[in-house]
Amino acid sequence: MRSNHGVALPLLAVLFVVSGCSRGDDPAGAGVSADTAPPRPGIYRGTFPCADCPGIETTLWLRPDGTYFLGQTYLGDAGASGERYHGLGRWTWDAAAAALTLRGSGPERVFDAGPPGTLTLRSLSDLPHRLTREADLAPFTESLLLEGEYRTGDGGPFIRECRTGLVWRVAERGEHRRLRQQYASVPRDSPALASVRGRLVPGDGGTVIVIEELIRLEPAACP
């Protein structure tokens, strides 16, 4: 039985090849040659092959700010959804190699750019691990395991995610009441490190996070 509490995608780790090519630092693709265009930010989806299941539904959200969210669901018999994993971090584009690199949760992943709107994961497998960009830019609605500093103040409560530095306002629903109650016990002026499962949804003034499960809250800062 695979644990469903990790975000490192342990079963997939053996599939990924760490690239030794040079890497660019510009997610927007500045300096890209005329022959190779960088991937457009948006939602990319596909089903990866799986050694011990019918497939792995994969969703990659490339954000314009250079961060990404990755969601994967192992399919069971008859297409039923099984265990789910999530990762997040930052992406960079290497124009010379026409390659996208994800660095964050789990192993480093490298995708080769193919026809416009497609990305193919570099893998030891002979089977294609391909994602295709959705034209309708459907929102990313996966639940995510996140760790970040929780604070209150003007404008409402916020969480600053440790790995990416992204800041979201916390919606006043879900498990937020329990989170706020525990936050009251944190010493004054001390940061509070929260581990939560949450969902990003549209809200007033931008994206907000709905806390679906509070896993842990402790007086600490992001590592």
Side-chain angles (χ1 to χ4, degrees):
M1 179 68 68
R2 296 184 292 265
S3 168
N4 61 357
H5 291 288
V7 295
L9 309 180
L11 190 144
L12 289 181
V14 296
L15 297 179
F16 300 124
V17 179
V18 176
S19 171
C21 63
S22 63
R23 303 177 181 90
D25 296 323
D26 182 5
V32 174
S33 69
D35 296 329
T36 306
R40 294 170 57 196
I43 306 295
Y44 291 75
R45 298 188 195 273
T47 301
F48 287 172
C50 177
D52 60 352
C53 70
I56 305 168
E57 289 186 344
T58 301
T59 301
L60 174 62
W61 179 19
L62 295 181
R63 292 169 51 95
D65 61 7
T67 60
Y68 75 85
F69 294 92
L70 179 70
Q72 294 189 297
T73 300
Y74 284 78
L75 299 177
D77 294 335
S81 296
E83 297 175 19
R84 303 168 68 188
Y85 297 93
H86 300 93
L88 65 161
R90 294 193 173 272
W91 63 275
T92 55
W93 168 247
D94 181 348
L100 175 88
T101 300
L102 305 183
R103 297 185 184 90
S105 305
E108 182 176 284
R109 305 170 181 88
V110 180
F111 288 83
D112 292 312
T118 63
L119 296 169
T120 300
L121 177 70
R122 292 184 186 178
S123 168
L124 295 175
S125 171
D126 293 331
L127 300 175
H129 292 61
R130 185 172 295 115
L131 301 177
T132 302
R133 188 176 185 272
E134 294 194 340
D136 59 1
L137 293 180
F140 185 86
T141 58
E142 302 281 349
S143 293
L144 299 166
L145 287 172
L146 301 171
E147 185 174 71
E149 293 181 6
Y150 173 81
R151 298 182 183 275
T152 59
D154 294 339
F158 294 88
I159 282 185
R160 183 180 71 85
E161 201 279 319
C162 292
R163 191 179 300 275
T164 63
L166 291 173
V167 178
W168 297 293
R169 185 170 59 83
V170 179
E172 301 280 352
R173 58 183 189 271
E175 281 257 275
H176 178 251
R177 181 177 180 181
R178 179 167 166 248
L179 173 58
R180 192 151 194 163
Q181 288 173 341
Q182 292 194 22
Y183 180 70
S185 65
V186 174
R188 184 184 296 273
D189 298 328
S190 296
L193 187 62
S195 296
V196 303
R197 183 184 296 276
R199 187 181 302 273
L200 300 176
V201 300
D204 294 337
T207 301
V208 301
I209 184 169
V210 177
I211 306 300
E212 299 176 314
E213 178 186 2
L214 173 60
I215 299 171
R216 184 178 68 256
L217 183 73
E218 58 184 329
C222 285

